[in-house]
Amino acid sequence: MPPAPPTAVGTTPHTTPVRPKLGEADITVVLPADFTAFCQLHHDVYQRYARQMIADHDAAVLAVQHALGDLAASWTQALAGHRTTAIAWTALTRRVHRAARTPSRTPSGAPSGTPSGTPAAALYALVPAAEADAALLHHVVGLGVAATADTLGAEPAVVISLLHRFARRLDDAGALTLRLCWEAAVHAAVPVVTRESGRD
Protein backbone atom coordinates (compact mmCIF):
# COMPACT_ATOMS: atom_id res chain seq x y z
CA MET A 1 0.00 0.00 0.00
CA PRO A 2 1.48 3.42 -0.87
CA PRO A 3 2.22 5.81 1.98
CA ALA A 4 -0.56 8.12 3.06
CA PRO A 5 -0.42 11.62 1.61
CA PRO A 6 0.73 14.47 3.85
CA THR A 7 -2.01 15.70 6.16
CA ALA A 8 -3.07 19.06 7.45
CA VAL A 9 -1.82 20.21 10.81
CA GLY A 10 -3.89 18.64 13.60
CA THR A 11 -4.99 15.60 11.61
CA THR A 12 -3.89 12.01 11.52
CA PRO A 13 -4.04 9.80 8.42
CA HIS A 14 -5.82 6.48 8.65
CA THR A 15 -5.94 4.17 5.66
CA THR A 16 -9.17 2.22 5.53
CA PRO A 17 -9.12 -1.47 4.55
CA VAL A 18 -10.96 -0.97 1.25
CA ARG A 19 -10.48 -3.22 -1.76
CA PRO A 20 -10.63 -0.84 -4.70
CA LYS A 21 -11.56 -1.96 -8.20
CA LEU A 22 -8.72 -2.90 -10.50
CA GLY A 23 -6.76 0.21 -11.43
CA GLU A 24 -8.21 2.41 -8.67
CA ALA A 25 -6.17 3.85 -5.80
CA ASP A 26 -6.63 3.02 -2.11
CA ILE A 27 -8.86 5.35 -0.14
CA THR A 28 -7.26 7.35 2.67
CA VAL A 29 -9.48 8.89 5.32
CA VAL A 30 -7.97 11.77 7.27
CA LEU A 31 -9.34 12.01 10.81
CA PRO A 32 -8.95 15.02 13.07
CA ALA A 33 -6.27 14.57 15.72
CA ASP A 34 -8.75 15.31 18.52
CA PHE A 35 -11.05 12.50 17.31
CA THR A 36 -8.12 10.08 17.13
CA ALA A 37 -7.06 11.08 20.66
CA PHE A 38 -10.66 10.64 21.91
CA CYS A 39 -10.79 7.14 20.41
CA GLN A 40 -7.44 6.19 21.93
CA LEU A 41 -8.58 7.47 25.32
CA HIS A 42 -11.97 5.74 25.40
CA HIS A 43 -11.64 2.66 23.17
CA ASP A 44 -10.40 0.34 25.93
CA VAL A 45 -13.34 1.10 28.25
CA TYR A 46 -15.84 0.93 25.39
CA GLN A 47 -14.50 -2.46 24.38
CA ARG A 48 -14.61 -3.78 27.95
CA TYR A 49 -18.21 -2.60 28.33
CA ALA A 50 -19.22 -4.16 25.00
CA ARG A 51 -17.66 -7.50 26.02
CA GLN A 52 -19.80 -7.52 29.17
CA MET A 53 -22.93 -6.88 27.11
CA ILE A 54 -22.37 -9.06 24.03
CA ALA A 55 -21.48 -12.74 24.30
CA ASP A 56 -19.69 -12.91 20.94
CA HIS A 57 -16.25 -11.25 21.01
CA ASP A 58 -16.26 -10.35 17.30
CA ALA A 59 -19.75 -8.82 17.55
CA ALA A 60 -18.58 -6.73 20.53
CA VAL A 61 -15.54 -5.48 18.59
CA LEU A 62 -17.73 -4.65 15.60
CA ALA A 63 -20.28 -2.79 17.75
CA VAL A 64 -17.54 -0.53 19.14
CA GLN A 65 -16.09 0.04 15.66
CA HIS A 66 -19.51 1.02 14.31
CA ALA A 67 -20.19 3.30 17.28
CA LEU A 68 -16.90 5.14 16.74
CA GLY A 69 -17.74 5.36 13.04
CA ASP A 70 -21.10 6.92 13.93
CA LEU A 71 -19.29 9.37 16.19
CA ALA A 72 -16.75 10.23 13.46
CA ALA A 73 -19.62 11.10 11.10
CA SER A 74 -20.93 13.67 13.59
CA TRP A 75 -17.67 14.65 15.32
CA THR A 76 -17.99 18.39 14.67
CA GLN A 77 -21.48 18.43 16.20
CA ALA A 78 -20.32 16.25 19.12
CA LEU A 79 -17.53 18.71 19.90
CA ALA A 80 -19.98 21.60 19.81
CA GLY A 81 -22.17 19.84 22.38
CA HIS A 82 -21.87 20.34 26.12
CA ARG A 83 -20.69 16.79 26.86
CA THR A 84 -18.86 15.05 24.02
CA THR A 85 -18.45 11.90 26.11
CA ALA A 86 -22.21 11.73 26.72
CA ILE A 87 -22.84 11.92 22.97
CA ALA A 88 -20.24 9.20 22.39
CA TRP A 89 -21.76 7.03 25.13
CA THR A 90 -25.17 7.30 23.47
CA ALA A 91 -23.68 6.21 20.13
CA LEU A 92 -21.93 3.30 21.83
CA THR A 93 -24.91 2.03 23.82
CA ARG A 94 -27.19 2.26 20.78
CA ARG A 95 -24.84 -0.04 18.81
CA VAL A 96 -24.07 -2.35 21.75
CA HIS A 97 -27.72 -2.84 22.72
CA ARG A 98 -28.64 -3.54 19.09
CA ALA A 99 -25.88 -6.16 18.86
CA ALA A 100 -26.93 -7.71 22.19
CA ARG A 101 -30.48 -8.19 20.84
CA THR A 102 -29.28 -9.72 17.56
CA PRO A 103 -29.24 -13.53 17.50
CA SER A 104 -25.75 -15.02 17.56
CA ARG A 105 -24.51 -16.92 14.51
CA THR A 106 -23.42 -20.50 14.05
CA PRO A 107 -19.94 -21.24 12.61
CA SER A 108 -21.56 -21.44 9.15
CA GLY A 109 -22.91 -17.91 9.56
CA ALA A 110 -26.57 -18.88 10.01
CA PRO A 111 -28.55 -17.30 12.87
CA SER A 112 -28.53 -19.64 15.88
CA GLY A 113 -31.71 -18.28 17.44
CA THR A 114 -29.81 -17.64 20.68
CA PRO A 115 -29.60 -13.97 21.68
CA SER A 116 -26.10 -12.49 21.71
CA GLY A 117 -26.81 -10.70 24.98
CA THR A 118 -25.43 -11.51 28.40
CA PRO A 119 -26.83 -11.22 31.94
CA ALA A 120 -25.44 -7.67 31.94
CA ALA A 121 -27.58 -6.85 28.90
CA ALA A 122 -30.66 -8.30 30.63
CA LEU A 123 -30.16 -5.83 33.47
CA TYR A 124 -31.47 -3.01 31.24
CA ALA A 125 -34.94 -4.57 31.24
CA LEU A 126 -35.04 -4.35 35.05
CA VAL A 127 -33.65 -0.90 35.94
CA PRO A 128 -33.33 2.50 34.26
CA ALA A 129 -30.52 2.58 31.71
CA ALA A 130 -28.56 5.30 33.55
CA GLU A 131 -28.43 3.14 36.70
CA ALA A 132 -27.42 0.04 34.76
CA ASP A 133 -24.71 2.01 32.92
CA ALA A 134 -23.23 3.34 36.16
CA ALA A 135 -23.44 -0.01 37.98
CA LEU A 136 -21.85 -1.97 35.14
CA LEU A 137 -19.05 0.52 34.53
CA HIS A 138 -18.26 0.87 38.22
CA HIS A 139 -18.80 -2.64 39.60
CA VAL A 140 -18.30 -4.94 36.60
CA VAL A 141 -15.91 -3.10 34.28
CA GLY A 142 -14.09 -1.81 37.36
CA LEU A 143 -13.94 1.94 36.81
CA GLY A 144 -13.75 4.35 39.71
CA VAL A 145 -16.50 6.92 40.21
CA ALA A 146 -14.56 9.69 38.43
CA ALA A 147 -13.74 7.46 35.43
CA THR A 148 -17.36 6.25 35.28
CA ALA A 149 -18.56 9.86 35.30
CA ASP A 150 -16.11 10.78 32.55
CA THR A 151 -17.21 7.83 30.42
CA LEU A 152 -20.89 8.66 30.82
CA GLY A 153 -20.39 12.41 30.40
CA ALA A 154 -21.89 13.05 33.84
CA GLU A 155 -20.81 14.67 37.07
CA PRO A 156 -19.36 12.35 39.76
CA ALA A 157 -22.20 13.35 42.12
CA VAL A 158 -24.72 12.10 39.57
CA VAL A 159 -22.89 8.76 39.28
CA ILE A 160 -22.80 8.38 43.07
CA SER A 161 -26.55 9.04 43.16
CA LEU A 162 -27.18 6.46 40.41
CA LEU A 163 -25.07 3.87 42.24
CA HIS A 164 -26.97 4.51 45.50
CA ARG A 165 -30.33 4.15 43.73
CA PHE A 166 -29.18 0.91 42.13
CA ALA A 167 -28.01 -0.42 45.51
CA ARG A 168 -31.39 0.45 47.07
CA ARG A 169 -33.15 -1.45 44.27
CA LEU A 170 -30.96 -4.50 44.96
CA ASP A 171 -31.82 -4.32 48.66
CA ASP A 172 -35.57 -4.16 48.03
CA ALA A 173 -37.31 -7.29 49.33
CA GLY A 174 -39.21 -7.78 46.06
CA ALA A 175 -36.16 -7.51 43.81
CA LEU A 176 -35.33 -11.22 43.54
CA THR A 177 -35.20 -11.15 39.72
CA LEU A 178 -32.94 -8.09 39.79
CA ARG A 179 -30.61 -9.68 42.37
CA LEU A 180 -30.38 -12.91 40.37
CA CYS A 181 -29.68 -10.98 37.17
CA TRP A 182 -27.04 -8.83 38.92
CA GLU A 183 -25.36 -11.89 40.44
CA ALA A 184 -25.24 -13.52 37.02
CA ALA A 185 -23.82 -10.34 35.45
CA VAL A 186 -21.10 -10.03 38.08
CA HIS A 187 -20.17 -13.72 37.92
CA ALA A 188 -20.27 -13.80 34.12
CA ALA A 189 -18.05 -10.71 33.85
CA VAL A 190 -15.52 -11.20 31.11
CA PRO A 191 -12.03 -10.61 32.48
CA VAL A 192 -10.09 -8.27 30.25
CA VAL A 193 -6.41 -7.61 30.85
CA THR A 194 -5.79 -3.96 30.06
CA ARG A 195 -3.92 -0.96 31.28
CA GLU A 196 -5.08 0.89 34.44
CA SER A 197 -8.87 1.11 34.54
CA GLY A 198 -9.14 4.41 36.43
CA ARG A 199 -10.02 3.13 39.87
CA ASP A 200 -10.67 5.75 42.57
Side-chain angles (χ1 to χ4, degrees):
M1 184 175 298
T7 60
V9 175
T11 61
T12 302
H14 171 74
T15 304
T16 58
V18 176
R19 292 194 177 112
K21 294 179 186 174
L22 186 62
E24 292 183 7
D26 290 337
I27 299 170
T28 300
V29 177
V30 179
L31 300 172
D34 49 4
F35 176 75
T36 302
F38 182 91
C39 291
Q40 289 172 341
L41 183 63
H42 295 281
H43 182 269
D44 181 57
V45 169
Y46 289 178
Q47 197 61 64
R48 290 164 51 205
Y49 170 79
R51 284 293 293 129
Q52 303 308 323
M53 295 286 292
I54 305 168
D56 180 77
H57 177 270
D58 293 340
V61 168
L62 196 59
V64 173
Q65 289 173 348
H66 281 283
L68 291 175
D70 294 344
L71 184 61
S74 61
W75 183 244
T76 303
Q77 294 87 349
L79 281 180
H82 178 63
R83 295 255 185 208
T84 304
T85 53
I87 293 166
W89 184 254
T90 300
L92 176 72
T93 55
R94 182 176 29 249
R95 287 291 187 164
V96 166
H97 287 269
R98 184 180 305 146
R101 288 189 305 270
T102 303
S104 59
R105 302 226 171 242
T106 65
S108 68
S112 70
T114 305
S116 295
T118 63
L123 191 63
Y124 286 83
L126 302 172
V127 299
E131 288 179 32
D133 289 344
L136 288 170
L137 287 172
H138 184 64
H139 296 295
V140 177
V141 173
L143 299 183
V145 170
T148 298
D150 179 57
T151 300
L152 296 174
E155 294 297 325
V158 171
V159 170
I160 291 169
S161 175
L162 290 168
L163 292 171
H164 285 306
R165 276 188 268 167
F166 182 75
R168 281 195 303 275
R169 285 182 200 280
L170 282 177
D171 289 340
D172 185 89
L176 178 61
T177 303
L178 175 59
R179 281 193 298 278
L180 291 173
C181 182
W182 181 243
E183 254 181 56
V186 170
H187 292 312
V190 178
V192 182
V193 179
T194 62
R195 42 184 204 270
E196 176 59 35
S197 61
R199 289 190 178 275
D200 294 330

